[in-house]
Amino acid sequence: MYQPKENQFISDSDIPWEDLGGGLKRKIMAYDNNMMMVKVAFEKGGVGSLHSHFHTQMSYVESGAFEITIGDKKQTLIQGDAYYIPPDVVHGALCLEPGILVDVFTPMREDFVK
């Protein structure tokens, strides 16, 4: 089984997708106690429900198009764009075109590995 914790070289093909339901799946790419990188694949219409957490988050749009909500602001982002979410700010995503978001969290998301 793939162990993402603190690997220095990460091969995407070694990491299985975890089906989250609702047209979403994710791969935990790598993490240590301070940081985590996660890929999330969305089908068109997939929703990352509004939520908040104490982690700082930055995300990169690897592919596709997404309507991103951060606090009371919404913006459509496409491949190559990125966004920043401060701790405890409500945020979510709606997939407009199938794609992948690459999320980075600090500290790591312990709830993702339990």
Side-chain angles (χ1 to χ4, degrees):
M1 181 175 164
Y2 177 75
Q3 297 294 323
K5 185 169 171 54
E6 299 184 37
N7 282 351
Q8 292 180 318
F9 298 98
I10 298 113
S11 176
D12 183 70
S13 62
D14 290 342
I15 305 168
W17 286 104
E18 174 187 358
D19 188 353
L20 302 175
L24 280 72
K25 56 186 180 178
R26 81 173 160 218
K27 290 185 181 196
I28 298 174
M29 302 300 291
Y31 66 93
D32 64 14
N33 291 332
N34 299 310
M35 181 181 294
M36 176 180 269
M37 179 185 289
V38 178
K39 287 174 68 170
V40 185
F42 288 74
E43 295 175 4
K44 183 176 181 175
V47 175
S49 299
L50 290 174
H51 66 285
S52 66
H53 44 74
F54 70 88
H55 311 82
T56 298
Q57 177 178 341
M58 290 188 186
S59 299
Y60 173 75
V61 182
E62 179 179 301
S63 60
F66 297 85
E67 181 184 82
I68 303 297
T69 301
I70 303 172
D72 60 357
K73 297 178 184 173
K74 286 186 183 185
Q75 187 165 331
T76 298
L77 299 178
I78 60 171
Q79 182 177 3
D81 293 340
Y83 56 96
Y84 162 75
I85 304 165
D88 302 312
V89 173
V90 174
H91 59 282
L94 170 63
C95 182
L96 305 174
E97 296 175 16
I100 294 177
L101 297 177
V102 179
D103 298 334
V104 177
F105 301 97
T106 183
M108 62 85 74
R109 294 287 304 261
E110 290 184 21
D111 55 319
F112 284 10
V113 296
K114 290 183 178 178

